Amino acid sequence: MTGRSVDLAVIGGGPAGISAATVAARHGLKVLVLDEHPQPGGRLLGQLHEMPGHGWWRGAEIARTMLDEARAAGVEIVSGAAVYGLRPQWEVLVQGTPFETVTAPRLLIATGAAEKSVPIPGWTTPGTMTAGGAQVMVNVHRVKPGKKALMVGVNVLTLTIARELALAGVEVAGIVLPPLGPFSAESANPTKIIAAMSRMAGLAPSPLLRLAGSVFGPSSAGLGAALYPSWGVKVWGLPMYLRTACVEIRGQDEVTGVVLEQIGPDGTPTGRRRTLEVDLVCISDGLYPLAELASAAGCAFAQVPELGGRVPLYGSDMRTTAPGVFVAGNVAGIEGAQVAAAQGQVAGYGIVADAGRIAGSDPAILAARTALAEVRRSSPIQFHPRLADGLTTLARAWEAQVQAQAEALGGRPV
């Protein structure tokens, strides 16, 4: 087998991976970034939205700047590289490149997230896709996926992508909920959605939506759902219906329409249905960490719903329980691209310190951690409510794991 040997192998060319790689390369490490997509940049490439008080977020431009800085620092980036396995300490198995393996004493796993969907009758009909898929078609490939779209799911992802579709000339007929069922959980419950809005009120682009979020907080979300107008409210001029669910997607060779049903405050169907002609249905139930490679590396995990699900444990320098393995970005919990880049900085300095290029007390490490905390504090986008609780849960799980490992080795508890 043909192989390569480097000081640091980074799996994932999104903002977290590129940010960490740049820090490591600037401190003299030989760094190779492996990214499975035709071009690096990750989710940044498809992001184009306005954040109230923060101006326009143009992900492709930010990605270009980050990639230019990485290459100038000496980072080698290989696109079309599909990592399919790991061998201990550490051999990365890869396809799509002239080499078949990469060996490195240190790994950064920055594989990002995958999008969840909800099964709806007819969801395999051509013209039905995830919201993220539509975003890539519009913002990366410059292709309109349809003329008239229905968004299914109310979350940060669908709200931002609905507007991106509208900016691209797609008529967005509405944003509705999925039907109540075993796979939709809280995402089909208007009361739960209203409670979540109380934590997104500052982001809400609609005055009425901001009012709903600020007035009807978690304790009174049921009242907010009961009073929510059946005709919906406008978000960036797009209609959002919290008391309506998409219960069927119609069409054979392509989507021709949907069946919508009015629902109660807890998501229960009322039987009052209507049809709507559309040729595009975008479904999203949010994101979850894409952490299979962290599992393959033997990292310890914790189930933290506030971070998107099952996440690898990591310390203050993004180090996992597997020797020489670090994580950063959405694989470590679902947050925005700005947070991912800041996490990459922290991981990069952690890796540089682990390689002995700087001291563990170097001021740059503390500065990177402080910057990450500030980015989190000021970020206008949070994908999950109770993020701080999730981070606390993860930190406690990490401390318990470190203590257990120390005791297993015969040392004093940490």
Side-chain angles (χ1 to χ4, degrees), residues 341-370:
Q343 278 187 331
Q345 289 274 317
V346 173
Y349 282 111
I351 290 164
V352 169
D354 187 66
R357 301 300 176 98
I358 61 174
S361 58
D362 192 290
I365 297 176
L366 178 59
R369 293 174 185 168
T370 301

PDB file of all heavy atoms in Angstrom, residues 341-370:
ATOM      1  N   ALA A 341     -14.903  27.352  13.943  1.00  0.00           N
ATOM      2  CA  ALA A 341     -13.585  27.909  13.653  1.00  0.00           C
ATOM      3  C   ALA A 341     -12.826  28.229  14.932  1.00  0.00           C
ATOM      4  O   ALA A 341     -11.617  27.994  15.034  1.00  0.00           O
ATOM      5  CB  ALA A 341     -13.732  29.158  12.792  1.00  0.00           C
ATOM      6  N   ALA A 342     -13.535  28.761  15.927  1.00  0.00           N
ATOM      7  CA  ALA A 342     -12.892  29.073  17.204  1.00  0.00           C
ATOM      8  C   ALA A 342     -12.452  27.803  17.924  1.00  0.00           C
ATOM      9  O   ALA A 342     -11.376  27.765  18.542  1.00  0.00           O
ATOM     10  CB  ALA A 342     -13.838  29.891  18.077  1.00  0.00           C
ATOM     11  N   GLN A 343     -13.266  26.756  17.855  1.00  0.00           N
ATOM     12  CA  GLN A 343     -12.857  25.468  18.422  1.00  0.00           C
ATOM     13  C   GLN A 343     -11.618  24.939  17.715  1.00  0.00           C
ATOM     14  O   GLN A 343     -10.736  24.335  18.347  1.00  0.00           O
ATOM     15  CB  GLN A 343     -13.988  24.448  18.292  1.00  0.00           C
ATOM     16  CG  GLN A 343     -15.040  24.540  19.355  1.00  0.00           C
ATOM     17  CD  GLN A 343     -16.025  23.393  19.254  1.00  0.00           C
ATOM     18  OE1 GLN A 343     -16.269  22.851  18.173  1.00  0.00           O
ATOM     19  NE2 GLN A 343     -16.605  23.013  20.366  1.00  0.00           N
ATOM     20  N   GLY A 344     -11.547  25.134  16.399  1.00  0.00           N
ATOM     21  CA  GLY A 344     -10.381  24.709  15.654  1.00  0.00           C
ATOM     22  C   GLY A 344      -9.114  25.386  16.150  1.00  0.00           C
ATOM     23  O   GLY A 344      -8.054  24.763  16.243  1.00  0.00           O
ATOM     24  N   GLN A 345      -9.222  26.677  16.481  1.00  0.00           N
ATOM     25  CA  GLN A 345      -8.078  27.398  17.039  1.00  0.00           C
ATOM     26  C   GLN A 345      -7.630  26.751  18.350  1.00  0.00           C
ATOM     27  O   GLN A 345      -6.432  26.522  18.564  1.00  0.00           O
ATOM     28  CB  GLN A 345      -8.463  28.858  17.286  1.00  0.00           C
ATOM     29  CG  GLN A 345      -8.644  29.687  16.034  1.00  0.00           C
ATOM     30  CD  GLN A 345      -7.334  30.265  15.537  1.00  0.00           C
ATOM     31  OE1 GLN A 345      -6.525  30.752  16.312  1.00  0.00           O
ATOM     32  NE2 GLN A 345      -7.132  30.209  14.232  1.00  0.00           N
ATOM     33  N   VAL A 346      -8.583  26.455  19.227  1.00  0.00           N
ATOM     34  CA  VAL A 346      -8.255  25.824  20.508  1.00  0.00           C
ATOM     35  C   VAL A 346      -7.597  24.467  20.282  1.00  0.00           C
ATOM     36  O   VAL A 346      -6.571  24.133  20.895  1.00  0.00           O
ATOM     37  CB  VAL A 346      -9.518  25.678  21.373  1.00  0.00           C
ATOM     38  CG1 VAL A 346      -9.220  24.873  22.634  1.00  0.00           C
ATOM     39  CG2 VAL A 346     -10.079  27.046  21.741  1.00  0.00           C
ATOM     40  N   ALA A 347      -8.180  23.672  19.398  1.00  0.00           N
ATOM     41  CA  ALA A 347      -7.615  22.355  19.094  1.00  0.00           C
ATOM     42  C   ALA A 347      -6.222  22.479  18.499  1.00  0.00           C
ATOM     43  O   ALA A 347      -5.312  21.704  18.830  1.00  0.00           O
ATOM     44  CB  ALA A 347      -8.536  21.590  18.149  1.00  0.00           C
ATOM     45  N   GLY A 348      -6.034  23.462  17.603  1.00  0.00           N
ATOM     46  CA  GLY A 348      -4.728  23.650  16.991  1.00  0.00           C
ATOM     47  C   GLY A 348      -3.653  23.920  18.015  1.00  0.00           C
ATOM     48  O   GLY A 348      -2.565  23.318  17.973  1.00  0.00           O
ATOM     49  N   TYR A 349      -3.943  24.808  18.964  1.00  0.00           N
ATOM     50  CA  TYR A 349      -2.953  25.090  20.009  1.00  0.00           C
ATOM     51  C   TYR A 349      -2.759  23.898  20.935  1.00  0.00           C
ATOM     52  O   TYR A 349      -1.649  23.650  21.425  1.00  0.00           O
ATOM     53  CB  TYR A 349      -3.366  26.333  20.795  1.00  0.00           C
ATOM     54  CG  TYR A 349      -3.064  27.619  20.065  1.00  0.00           C
ATOM     55  CD1 TYR A 349      -4.094  28.416  19.564  1.00  0.00           C
ATOM     56  CD2 TYR A 349      -1.751  28.029  19.858  1.00  0.00           C
ATOM     57  CE1 TYR A 349      -3.822  29.586  18.871  1.00  0.00           C
ATOM     58  CE2 TYR A 349      -1.474  29.197  19.167  1.00  0.00           C
ATOM     59  CZ  TYR A 349      -2.507  29.972  18.671  1.00  0.00           C
ATOM     60  OH  TYR A 349      -2.233  31.129  17.987  1.00  0.00           O
ATOM     61  N   GLY A 350      -3.839  23.149  21.182  1.00  0.00           N
ATOM     62  CA  GLY A 350      -3.690  21.938  21.983  1.00  0.00           C
ATOM     63  C   GLY A 350      -2.780  20.925  21.319  1.00  0.00           C
ATOM     64  O   GLY A 350      -1.942  20.280  21.966  1.00  0.00           O
ATOM     65  N   ILE A 351      -2.908  20.797  20.009  1.00  0.00           N
ATOM     66  CA  ILE A 351      -2.070  19.874  19.244  1.00  0.00           C
ATOM     67  C   ILE A 351      -0.618  20.345  19.238  1.00  0.00           C
ATOM     68  O   ILE A 351       0.320  19.546  19.413  1.00  0.00           O
ATOM     69  CB  ILE A 351      -2.616  19.737  17.811  1.00  0.00           C
ATOM     70  CG1 ILE A 351      -3.948  18.983  17.825  1.00  0.00           C
ATOM     71  CG2 ILE A 351      -1.621  19.043  16.893  1.00  0.00           C
ATOM     72  CD1 ILE A 351      -4.752  19.121  16.558  1.00  0.00           C
ATOM     73  N   VAL A 352      -0.418  21.638  19.051  1.00  0.00           N
ATOM     74  CA  VAL A 352       0.945  22.193  19.041  1.00  0.00           C
ATOM     75  C   VAL A 352       1.619  21.981  20.396  1.00  0.00           C
ATOM     76  O   VAL A 352       2.811  21.618  20.464  1.00  0.00           O
ATOM     77  CB  VAL A 352       0.885  23.700  18.679  1.00  0.00           C
ATOM     78  CG1 VAL A 352       2.237  24.362  18.916  1.00  0.00           C
ATOM     79  CG2 VAL A 352       0.470  23.873  17.226  1.00  0.00           C
ATOM     80  N   ALA A 353       0.871  22.178  21.484  1.00  0.00           N
ATOM     81  CA  ALA A 353       1.424  21.940  22.816  1.00  0.00           C
ATOM     82  C   ALA A 353       1.728  20.458  23.021  1.00  0.00           C
ATOM     83  O   ALA A 353       2.760  20.088  23.597  1.00  0.00           O
ATOM     84  CB  ALA A 353       0.450  22.440  23.881  1.00  0.00           C
ATOM     85  N   ASP A 354       0.831  19.595  22.536  1.00  0.00           N
ATOM     86  CA  ASP A 354       1.046  18.153  22.660  1.00  0.00           C
ATOM     87  C   ASP A 354       2.300  17.710  21.908  1.00  0.00           C
ATOM     88  O   ASP A 354       2.986  16.772  22.320  1.00  0.00           O
ATOM     89  CB  ASP A 354      -0.180  17.409  22.115  1.00  0.00           C
ATOM     90  CG  ASP A 354      -0.110  15.918  22.350  1.00  0.00           C
ATOM     91  OD1 ASP A 354      -0.157  15.504  23.517  1.00  0.00           O
ATOM     92  OD2 ASP A 354       0.002  15.163  21.358  1.00  0.00           O
ATOM     93  N   ALA A 355       2.617  18.418  20.807  1.00  0.00           N
ATOM     94  CA  ALA A 355       3.813  18.097  20.018  1.00  0.00           C
ATOM     95  C   ALA A 355       5.073  18.727  20.602  1.00  0.00           C
ATOM     96  O   ALA A 355       6.166  18.534  20.060  1.00  0.00           O
ATOM     97  CB  ALA A 355       3.622  18.572  18.575  1.00  0.00           C
ATOM     98  N   GLY A 356       4.924  19.490  21.685  1.00  0.00           N
ATOM     99  CA  GLY A 356       6.083  20.097  22.327  1.00  0.00           C
ATOM    100  C   GLY A 356       6.584  21.363  21.659  1.00  0.00           C
ATOM    101  O   GLY A 356       7.676  21.843  21.988  1.00  0.00           O
ATOM    102  N   ARG A 357       5.787  21.953  20.767  1.00  0.00           N
ATOM    103  CA  ARG A 357       6.220  23.176  20.090  1.00  0.00           C
ATOM    104  C   ARG A 357       5.982  24.426  20.935  1.00  0.00           C
ATOM    105  O   ARG A 357       6.623  25.453  20.696  1.00  0.00           O
ATOM    106  CB  ARG A 357       5.518  23.302  18.739  1.00  0.00           C
ATOM    107  CG  ARG A 357       5.786  22.132  17.781  1.00  0.00           C
ATOM    108  CD  ARG A 357       7.274  21.989  17.475  1.00  0.00           C
ATOM    109  NE  ARG A 357       7.561  20.838  16.641  1.00  0.00           N
ATOM    110  CZ  ARG A 357       7.728  20.899  15.322  1.00  0.00           C
ATOM    111  NH1 ARG A 357       7.666  22.075  14.708  1.00  0.00           N
ATOM    112  NH2 ARG A 357       7.975  19.810  14.642  1.00  0.00           N
ATOM    113  N   ILE A 358       5.031  24.384  21.851  1.00  0.00           N
ATOM    114  CA  ILE A 358       4.817  25.460  22.808  1.00  0.00           C
ATOM    115  C   ILE A 358       4.530  24.829  24.165  1.00  0.00           C
ATOM    116  O   ILE A 358       4.183  23.638  24.249  1.00  0.00           O
ATOM    117  CB  ILE A 358       3.649  26.396  22.412  1.00  0.00           C
ATOM    118  CG1 ILE A 358       2.328  25.612  22.349  1.00  0.00           C
ATOM    119  CG2 ILE A 358       3.936  27.095  21.097  1.00  0.00           C
ATOM    120  CD1 ILE A 358       1.109  26.500  22.113  1.00  0.00           C
ATOM    121  N   ALA A 359       4.679  25.621  25.218  1.00  0.00           N
ATOM    122  CA  ALA A 359       4.375  25.128  26.558  1.00  0.00           C
ATOM    123  C   ALA A 359       2.873  25.066  26.771  1.00  0.00           C
ATOM    124  O   ALA A 359       2.102  25.816  26.151  1.00  0.00           O
ATOM    125  CB  ALA A 359       5.015  26.040  27.603  1.00  0.00           C
ATOM    126  N   GLY A 360       2.453  24.179  27.663  1.00  0.00           N
ATOM    127  CA  GLY A 360       1.029  24.072  27.955  1.00  0.00           C
ATOM    128  C   GLY A 360       0.457  25.309  28.594  1.00  0.00           C
ATOM    129  O   GLY A 360      -0.762  25.508  28.605  1.00  0.00           O
ATOM    130  N   SER A 361       1.341  26.182  29.133  1.00  0.00           N
ATOM    131  CA  SER A 361       0.901  27.426  29.756  1.00  0.00           C
ATOM    132  C   SER A 361       1.031  28.627  28.827  1.00  0.00           C
ATOM    133  O   SER A 361       0.886  29.763  29.266  1.00  0.00           O
ATOM    134  CB  SER A 361       1.721  27.680  31.027  1.00  0.00           C
ATOM    135  OG  SER A 361       3.114  27.740  30.707  1.00  0.00           O
ATOM    136  N   ASP A 362       1.307  28.386  27.558  1.00  0.00           N
ATOM    137  CA  ASP A 362       1.500  29.475  26.612  1.00  0.00           C
ATOM    138  C   ASP A 362       0.262  30.382  26.593  1.00  0.00           C
ATOM    139  O   ASP A 362      -0.870  29.899  26.547  1.00  0.00           O
ATOM    140  CB  ASP A 362       1.745  28.908  25.210  1.00  0.00           C
ATOM    141  CG  ASP A 362       2.243  29.954  24.238  1.00  0.00           C
ATOM    142  OD1 ASP A 362       1.445  30.835  23.869  1.00  0.00           O
ATOM    143  OD2 ASP A 362       3.420  29.893  23.847  1.00  0.00           O
ATOM    144  N   PRO A 363       0.457  31.712  26.626  1.00  0.00           N
ATOM    145  CA  PRO A 363      -0.686  32.640  26.629  1.00  0.00           C
ATOM    146  C   PRO A 363      -1.614  32.458  25.428  1.00  0.00           C
ATOM    147  O   PRO A 363      -2.812  32.770  25.519  1.00  0.00           O
ATOM    148  CB  PRO A 363      -0.019  34.018  26.604  1.00  0.00           C
ATOM    149  CG  PRO A 363       1.348  33.799  27.185  1.00  0.00           C
ATOM    150  CD  PRO A 363       1.746  32.423  26.763  1.00  0.00           C
ATOM    151  N   ALA A 364      -1.085  31.981  24.316  1.00  0.00           N
ATOM    152  CA  ALA A 364      -1.926  31.804  23.127  1.00  0.00           C
ATOM    153  C   ALA A 364      -3.027  30.780  23.372  1.00  0.00           C
ATOM    154  O   ALA A 364      -4.117  30.892  22.797  1.00  0.00           O
ATOM    155  CB  ALA A 364      -1.072  31.381  21.939  1.00  0.00           C
ATOM    156  N   ILE A 365      -2.756  29.802  24.215  1.00  0.00           N
ATOM    157  CA  ILE A 365      -3.765  28.781  24.507  1.00  0.00           C
ATOM    158  C   ILE A 365      -4.924  29.401  25.274  1.00  0.00           C
ATOM    159  O   ILE A 365      -6.108  29.195  24.934  1.00  0.00           O
ATOM    160  CB  ILE A 365      -3.137  27.621  25.298  1.00  0.00           C
ATOM    161  CG1 ILE A 365      -2.051  26.928  24.460  1.00  0.00           C
ATOM    162  CG2 ILE A 365      -4.206  26.621  25.728  1.00  0.00           C
ATOM    163  CD1 ILE A 365      -1.316  25.836  25.184  1.00  0.00           C
ATOM    164  N   LEU A 366      -4.599  30.163  26.311  1.00  0.00           N
ATOM    165  CA  LEU A 366      -5.649  30.830  27.082  1.00  0.00           C
ATOM    166  C   LEU A 366      -6.411  31.811  26.208  1.00  0.00           C
ATOM    167  O   LEU A 366      -7.639  31.926  26.301  1.00  0.00           O
ATOM    168  CB  LEU A 366      -5.037  31.556  28.281  1.00  0.00           C
ATOM    169  CG  LEU A 366      -6.032  32.356  29.151  1.00  0.00           C
ATOM    170  CD1 LEU A 366      -7.118  31.449  29.707  1.00  0.00           C
ATOM    171  CD2 LEU A 366      -5.292  33.072  30.277  1.00  0.00           C
ATOM    172  N   ALA A 367      -5.700  32.529  25.324  1.00  0.00           N
ATOM    173  CA  ALA A 367      -6.356  33.490  24.440  1.00  0.00           C
ATOM    174  C   ALA A 367      -7.345  32.796  23.514  1.00  0.00           C
ATOM    175  O   ALA A 367      -8.446  33.313  23.257  1.00  0.00           O
ATOM    176  CB  ALA A 367      -5.314  34.246  23.627  1.00  0.00           C
ATOM    177  N   ALA A 368      -6.982  31.616  23.003  1.00  0.00           N
ATOM    178  CA  ALA A 368      -7.880  30.875  22.115  1.00  0.00           C
ATOM    179  C   ALA A 368      -9.123  30.407  22.861  1.00  0.00           C
ATOM    180  O   ALA A 368     -10.247  30.467  22.329  1.00  0.00           O
ATOM    181  CB  ALA A 368      -7.153  29.686  21.499  1.00  0.00           C
ATOM    182  N   ARG A 369      -8.958  29.966  24.101  1.00  0.00           N
ATOM    183  CA  ARG A 369     -10.114  29.525  24.891  1.00  0.00           C
ATOM    184  C   ARG A 369     -11.023  30.705  25.217  1.00  0.00           C
ATOM    185  O   ARG A 369     -12.254  30.585  25.158  1.00  0.00           O
ATOM    186  CB  ARG A 369      -9.636  28.855  26.180  1.00  0.00           C
ATOM    187  CG  ARG A 369      -8.908  27.538  25.960  1.00  0.00           C
ATOM    188  CD  ARG A 369      -8.339  27.025  27.262  1.00  0.00           C
ATOM    189  NE  ARG A 369      -7.538  25.813  27.059  1.00  0.00           N
ATOM    190  CZ  ARG A 369      -6.738  25.278  27.973  1.00  0.00           C
ATOM    191  NH1 ARG A 369      -6.633  25.855  29.164  1.00  0.00           N
ATOM    192  NH2 ARG A 369      -6.041  24.185  27.710  1.00  0.00           N
ATOM    193  N   THR A 370     -10.422  31.829  25.532  1.00  0.00           N
ATOM    194  CA  THR A 370     -11.214  33.024  25.827  1.00  0.00           C
ATOM    195  C   THR A 370     -11.989  33.469  24.593  1.00  0.00           C
ATOM    196  O   THR A 370     -13.169  33.856  24.675  1.00  0.00           O
ATOM    197  CB  THR A 370     -10.302  34.159  26.311  1.00  0.00           C
ATOM    198  OG1 THR A 370      -9.590  33.727  27.486  1.00  0.00           O
ATOM    199  CG2 THR A 370     -11.106  35.409  26.637  1.00  0.00           C
TER     200      THR A 370
END
